[in-house]
Amino acid sequence: MATMTITVETQQESVAVKPCRFCGADLQHTFVDLGMSPLCETYPAPADLNRGEIYFPLHVYVCSKCFLVQLEEYESPENIFSDYAYFSSYSESWLKHADTYCANMQSRFGLGEESFVVEVASNDGYLLQYFVRRNVPVLGIEPAANVAKVAIEKGIPTLVKFFGTQLAGDLVSEGRAADLVLGNNVLAQVPDLNDFVEGLKILLKPEGILTLEFPHLLRLMEHNEFDTIYHEHFSYFSLLTAVNLLEAHGLQVFDVEELVSHGGSLRVFACRAEAKTHPLEQSVARVMEDEERAGLGAVDGYKNFAQRVKETKLALVEFLLKAAREGKSVAGYGAPGKSATLLHYCGIGKDLIEYTVDRNHHKQGRFLPGTHIPIHHPDHIQETKPDYVVILPWNLQSEIMKQLEFIREWGGQFVVPIPMATIL
Ligand SMILES: [Zn+2]
């Protein structure tokens, strides 16, 4: 028996050790293990409900050499992103964010009719439309055909392709190098990070600017935002790691902005290292110091996260059990990708959250993956008058509370699950 046990352990270890997506070091430290969950952007239709779904592990590692927090790639990007249900244009605050960004970039870097802007993972053109309105020529690159189609119909030139060194090289050889390359919330979704970042550099004109937005790992950890971890997001970045990644590909980060979007994001500004056109802003050192102080510069700094995540689960489940015991009705609001992680990790089904609603009509009439909690039109809340509404996209909390202020008429209350279940 003893021999068998040893053999099994050896096999488990050899299965567990994978190379880091950026630096190639062996991944040996668990950041958090969230159990099994289905792909979060696949919303079953009524006809699919008896078919069963595939669950994948959400076991997150931190690299002890470069501190990239990462998930293995369990499903190919082609399967995840080819019919992606996320349409950016459905959030008002997100549109405003995009408009402001375009205005700022135009004035700061003097973009005009002679410039060329390329957005990688351009979604339905929600951002590029603001450059088009300002007469700045654009190109979107978007792998999800159904989403790209919406952009093209709006008059935004869009290539239905995955981005990497090959596509970047093709564009440059056609004379389409860019003055501005931007990638918002795409870095996390890239399986071959090194090829992607190298492609970004290739696509830049010698004096070109790159901006990347991604959720800030420091805020994810501070606010227990574990539900932003899902299979579509392979990597989670601190500024420390992002700077090293870009430097490894000849790109210099010269400025960084801290944004409130997605629970706390970073927008980094970079240029070719040899360009030296832009002075290094103090913001870069300041954010990196914050991260060092929080312990992100050593593997020990990542150790306590899993325990805090567990506390968040206990608080939410305690609230829902108490509400159920008291005979209160609980509905959800929103059907974001992050709800799949939250609900599966916490073991919450439709016995505890009866239904959810979403403004995106592509999701209405469908079901949340795995839990099969039905997704209705938002009017369903007015019709059923639940005692509690759990806001699943907590990053849009204030916008949603404003829209649903009417639930106060029947004594309804809002619940935010993260960082710790709170009744508002
Ligand atoms: Zn690494």
Side-chain angles (χ1 to χ4, degrees):
M1 283 305 282
T3 319
M4 267 191 75
T5 310
I6 289 163
T7 314
V8 170
E9 278 174 4
T10 311
Q11 278 178 350
Q12 277 177 342
E13 276 170 18
S14 67
V15 168
V17 177
K18 301 278 181 198
C20 168
R21 178 168 294 120
F22 166 34
C23 78
D26 285 348
L27 295 176
Q28 290 170 322
H29 297 272
T30 292
F31 178 59
V32 65
D33 186 352
L34 297 170
M36 301 287 284
S37 198
L39 290 182
C40 74
E41 292 283 356
T42 313
Y43 297 89
D48 302 325
L49 290 184
N50 290 342
R51 288 209 184 117
E53 285 152 86
I54 304 174
Y55 281 55
F56 298 93
L58 274 178
H59 189 152
V60 191
Y61 293 90
V62 56
C63 174
S64 56
K65 196 170 152 218
C66 72
F67 310 119
L68 180 65
V69 168
Q70 57 199 291
L71 205 56
E72 267 178 67
E73 180 193 338
Y74 296 104
E75 181 58 295
S76 75
E78 282 79 5
N79 282 349
I80 295 178
F81 299 117
S82 56
D83 189 23
Y84 205 47
Y86 187 71
F87 286 78
S88 300
S89 294
Y90 286 93
S91 159
E92 282 161 23
S93 57
W94 197 237
L95 289 174
K96 191 160 177 293
H97 176 78
D99 192 9
T100 309
Y101 166 83
C102 294
N104 291 346
M105 294 304 287
Q106 192 180 27
S107 60
R108 181 170 177 183
F109 300 110
L111 300 171
E113 289 172 25
E114 305 299 314
S115 311
F116 185 48
V117 173
V118 178
E119 183 179 15
V120 178
S122 50
N123 208 281
D124 60 2
Y126 75 98
L127 186 144
L128 288 179
Q129 66 183 344
Y130 296 109
F131 277 123
V132 170
R133 284 179 203 176
R134 291 174 170 88
N135 297 317
V136 179
V138 302
L139 176 68
I141 298 168
E142 169 55 54
N146 63 330
V147 180
K149 191 165 158 271
V150 177
I152 293 164
E153 284 165 359
K154 279 197 284 201
I156 293 152
T158 304
L159 289 178
V160 183
K161 289 209 164 124
F162 279 97
F163 182 78
T165 48
Q166 176 153 13
L167 179 55
D170 290 350
L171 288 168
V172 170
S173 64
E174 292 164 11
R176 306 180 87 189
D179 298 280
L180 170 64
V181 177
L182 66 129
N184 289 346
N185 298 300
V186 59
L187 206 54
Q189 304 181 353
V190 175
D192 189 346
L193 258 187
N194 288 310
D195 184 71
F196 183 86
V197 176
E198 185 66 23
L200 294 173
K201 190 193 65 185
I202 291 171
L203 188 54
L204 279 185
K205 284 184 185 170
E207 305 296 320
I209 306 288
L210 168 70
T211 74
L212 294 170
E213 282 180 39
F214 48 85
H216 191 187
L217 179 64
L218 179 64
R219 302 296 165 225
L220 184 157
M221 291 172 70
E222 270 178 2
H223 303 144
N224 280 352
E225 296 163 358
F226 68 89
D227 60 343
T228 59
I229 295 170
Y230 42 82
H231 300 110
E232 286 79 344
H233 288 175
F234 308 129
S235 312
Y236 303 82
F237 295 90
S238 61
L239 184 61
L240 290 165
T241 301
V243 163
N244 287 337
L245 170 65
L246 293 173
E247 267 178 11
H249 293 278
L251 292 162
Q252 170 79 50
V253 174
F254 62 86
D255 196 5
V256 61
E257 291 173 4
E258 294 182 272
L259 311 169
V260 293
S261 49
H262 293 283
S265 294
L266 292 180
R267 176 187 290 151
V268 299
F269 295 74
C271 58
R272 288 171 175 267
E274 71 272 15
K276 305 225 183 303
T277 336
H278 303 279
L280 182 61
E281 304 289 339
Q282 288 184 345
S283 55
V284 180
R286 185 173 47 75
V287 174
M288 284 177 34
E289 280 161 20
D290 286 348
E291 292 182 344
E292 290 281 2
R293 218 172 301 126
L296 300 197
V299 80
D300 280 354
Y302 297 80
K303 273 186 180 159
N304 297 328
F305 183 67
Q307 184 55 35
R308 286 188 284 125
V309 167
K310 194 173 165 191
E311 294 296 335
T312 301
K313 167 180 180 167
L314 295 177
L316 180 60
V317 172
E318 272 165 9
F319 160 75
L320 289 169
L321 291 176
K322 185 165 174 282
R325 285 272 182 223
E326 291 170 357
K328 307 273 194 196
S329 52
V330 182
Y333 186 94
K338 58 168 82 76
S339 62
T341 300
L342 178 77
L343 299 174
H344 284 88
Y345 172 67
C346 295
I348 297 165
K350 53 191 168 186
D351 43 359
L352 295 178
I353 296 182
E354 205 180 318
Y355 67 85
T356 190
V357 300
D358 201 284
R359 291 172 75 191
N360 183 342
H361 66 88
H362 295 275
K363 293 180 183 174
Q364 291 164 11
R366 291 180 172 252
F367 296 81
L368 291 183
T371 60
H372 293 181
I373 293 174
I375 308 168
H376 296 297
H377 187 279
D379 287 350
H380 205 66
I381 289 187
Q382 181 67 256
E383 289 155 16
T384 58
K385 300 185 171 46
D387 296 305
Y388 296 109
V389 174
V390 181
I391 300 176
L392 296 169
W394 42 258
N395 51 311
L396 304 175
Q397 178 186 327
S398 49
E399 182 178 336
I400 290 165
M401 284 178 65
K402 225 178 283 166
Q403 281 167 22
L404 295 191
E405 184 55 32
F406 59 82
I407 73 166
R408 306 289 189 195
E409 288 165 22
W410 62 81
Q413 290 178 291
F414 297 101
V415 179
V416 180
I418 302 274
M420 209 50 83
T422 308
I423 301 171
L424 299 168

